[in-house]
DNA sequence: GACGCGGTACTCGGATAACCGATGTCCGAGTGTCGCCGG
DNA sequence: CCGGCGACACTCGGACATCGGTTATCCGAGTACCGCGTC
């Protein structure tokens, strides 16, 4: 089991956009250069975030991406779901023989699937407890200033 | 993100072995036929469980696999870790620029990674809260009897 | 009749392919900007 | 001097390759059982 790279990239991009101040869109190429990741693929990830309503994409010259929500309204779960998709990590393929089951047994999922899904719910709950604003507070204060300074330099 | 099939198979095999009573080893072929999965690949998964000390493998004729622990001592986390490996789902590649960071900042992981790991810890905690004995209790009582009856039929 | 031994069938174990999704790349569509031209 | 217009440069967006890992398969190593021969 493994989360895709896009999750980390997306989270850092959101954090960066928040720190910059969200006054204007930032193009993918700038962010990719900052993080040293393939620009085209990062673009793909940011597209997914835009489709999910997390980012706002503006086309054309001086375009780019910016946050569509306030940092306090954006949770880690939102970003993870946008990149990874809404599917559960554990998928019950109903491996148990259901022919012999009573009707009542077939109605409810098997105990194993229930337990796995409950654990996954705990994970999702923990993710949604962290907002982007939260992360900004937890991060070292110097990081925000450093990010702003970097952006002021490469802005055009 | 997606858990491999082997997790579901491994869990159901452990449950089946527990219900049968763990008196004697059960060969992979029997379990595979029961669940209608590829025998050779199921064997691979059970090998992983054996390496992890969850199952006991006995070679030769009338050999197979049996539980190495009491159901109360076996958690879902044990099985998941044995199949999926010990790695975290979220891997921080230190995408943040660390050149500009102060020494103190570099010492601790970035806030994003910390939050992601905390959520994953919640998932693992929820998994380890469920023992196999627990699952057996939660499952419909008829299932145990049905499994025993099936095994009595195909035993040799 | 009892013991030892060789052959056989069965099962695990690891090495080896096939397939699928994540990763990575590219070019076209659309839009804002800048400079030029005419009034 | 001011407004309109055209060309350009920039950026997103989705279609197209590539790569690694899960899924799947196979054959060799080892072990217990069974039958036979011998004492």
């Amino acid at each position: 089991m493994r989360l895709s790279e896009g999750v980390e990239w997306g989270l850092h991009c959101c954090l960066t956009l928040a720190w910059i101040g969200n006054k204007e869109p930032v193009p993918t190429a700038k962010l990719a250069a900052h993080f040293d990741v393939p620009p085209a693929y990062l673009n793909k990830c940011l597209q997914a975030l835009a489709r999910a309503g997390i980012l706002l994409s503006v086309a054309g010259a001086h375009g780019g991406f910016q946050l569509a929500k306030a940092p306090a309204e954006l949770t880690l779960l939102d970003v993870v779901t946008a990149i990874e998709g809404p599917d559960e990590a554990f998928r019950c393929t109903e491996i148990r023989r259901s022919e012999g089951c009573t009707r009542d047994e077939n109605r409810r999922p098997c105990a194993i699937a229930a337990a796995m899904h409950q654990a996954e719910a705990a994970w999702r709950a923990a993710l949604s407890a962290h907002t982007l604003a939260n992360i900004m507070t937890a991060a070292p204060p110097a990081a925000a200033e450093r990010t702003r300074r970097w952006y002021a330099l490469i802005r055009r």
Side-chain angles (χ1 to χ4, degrees), chain A residues 16-75:
Chain A
T16 299
L17 290 175
W19 268 334
I20 288 177
N22 211 35
K23 301 293 182 189
E24 59 190 10
V26 179
T28 303
K30 298 274 179 30
L31 292 169
H34 186 219
F35 292 130
D36 193 31
V37 297
Y41 186 44
L42 177 61
N43 188 25
K44 196 182 185 65
C45 296
L46 297 183
Q47 279 175 38
L49 294 180
R51 268 193 297 271
I54 293 170
L55 295 184
L56 203 68
S57 75
V58 6
H62 294 256
F65 291 92
Q66 57 185 342
L67 289 173
K69 299 176 171 184
E73 304 302 321
L74 181 57
T75 70

Side-chain angles (χ1 to χ4, degrees), chain A residues 63-106:
Chain A
F65 291 92
Q66 57 185 342
L67 289 173
K69 299 176 171 184
E73 304 302 321
L74 181 57
T75 70
L76 294 194
L77 180 61
D78 296 331
V79 176
V80 169
T81 303
I83 301 283
E84 288 287 324
D87 298 351
E88 299 256 357
F90 180 86
R91 297 161 204 192
C92 181
T93 58
E94 279 297 335
I95 202 183
R96 65 172 175 174
R97 313 288 297 269
S98 55
E99 312 100 44
C101 297
T102 67
R103 195 177 228 139
D104 188 55
E105 282 169 19
N106 276 332

